[in-house]
Amino acid sequence: MISNLRKAVRLPHRRRVVDLSHPARSPLGSAVVNCVVYLDGVRQIGHCPAAEAIEHVRSCGNGFVWIGLHEPSQQEFAGVAELFGLHPLAVEDAVDAHQRPKLERYDDTLFTVFKTVRYVEHAELTSTSEVVDTGEIMVFTGPDFVVTVRHGHHGSLGPLREDLETVPEQLAKGPSAVLHAIADHVVDDYLAVADALQHDIDDVETDVFASRRGGADTGRIYQLKRELLELKRAVAPLDRPLQTLSALPVPGQSLPGVDPDIRAYFRDVADHLARVTEQITAFDDLLNSILQANLAQVTVAQNEDMRRISAWVAIIAVPTMVCGVYGMNFEHMPELRWTYGYPLFVCVMVIVCVVVHRGFRRNGWL
């Protein structure tokens, strides 16, 4: 009942919608979702190819272009890479995906990789349930451009773009404001998934301690540990990039294009990431404890079964011994031809069995 109530009151996750602000795809390729120009933090109305957009921005000198792509091929991404002078190694990582979260600098361009996560709803957790689904967002940020490459069927940046456009003073700070918004968006999803995992862990814990015989399937606990490891692989490597983005600039080592005012926002995201990391560590320790408790309960249940079996064997041994003695077919045996011999020994066997049974019951074996 508690488990069902928990599922009923579970907070719904933030809905993700596809960015439909540009119904038509860009001529650069079918993978381009959007190409928008921002001047002084305000979105410029109209559609134009990326080359014209960046030329317009550079002629004005106070804006940037944001291009969004979804799972581009090498050919589809080649035009964008050439236009903005993206490094071939970063381009290869962006196209191939399956990258570790990281932050790399190529001249005046930053290349950042984020692992996106999504909690997979399920009616009941099983040993094969998928709980955490992952994707990737790669972000190229330069002095006057942002290029985002998304992999996976979740983590759309359309709602994020709409939220940012309501705060033009934040967008006016340049590409680093977009990079912060994406980082904050990704880490918020980490928090939501961690909170949802908390309910699954609580359900398994309740099942384990609901019965003395180990109520939870060990496979379910292992599955939760595997899914928690998937979340950890997305969260843990992101700590160093966020620390780098939020650190105070060092002469000669400062990151290009990162507005000083944005660094405080990155520190806030880093704090949220630290909270998720602590939760994951606590969840891992808790699952280890739950697994050990479940195995211990199974062992105790097996020992109790063995004690019951041993007690019944001891009880059955009494009539077996008596019947074995009087079944040896000797001619000269006491009470062999006595009229009351049979009922006497039946009564003796019953009495001894009852006494032994009561003794085992008194000691908790039965």
Side-chain angles (χ1 to χ4, degrees), residues 19 21-22 34-38 42-46 48 53 57 64-68 146 161 165:
D19 187 359
S21 54
H22 280 249
N34 215 330
C35 177
V36 179
V37 174
Y38 294 93
V42 179
R43 176 173 180 162
Q44 303 303 297
I45 305 300
C48 62
V57 165
F64 65 92
V65 179
W66 183 355
I67 298 179
V146 177
R161 186 192 295 267
E165 289 173 356

Side-chain angles (χ1 to χ4, degrees), residues 244-322:
T244 302
L245 289 167
S246 61
L248 294 176
V250 177
Q253 299 181 10
S254 60
L255 294 175
V258 178
D259 190 285
D261 295 336
I262 297 295
R263 294 186 185 276
Y265 293 93
F266 278 119
R267 285 196 291 273
D268 180 67
V269 177
D271 289 341
H272 292 171
L273 185 73
R275 174 190 162 190
V276 180
T277 303
E278 291 173 358
Q279 279 186 291
I280 292 175
T281 302
F283 289 165
D284 193 38
D285 292 340
L286 181 58
L287 283 174
N288 286 334
S289 300
I290 292 174
L291 180 60
Q292 292 174 1
N294 187 61
L295 295 177
Q297 287 184 337
V298 171
T299 301
V300 170
Q302 290 175 343
N303 290 338
E304 290 179 351
D305 292 340
M306 288 301 299
R307 288 199 304 179
R308 290 190 181 92
I309 293 172
S310 300
W312 283 111
V313 169
I315 293 172
I316 295 174
V318 175
T320 301
M321 180 185 66
V322 174

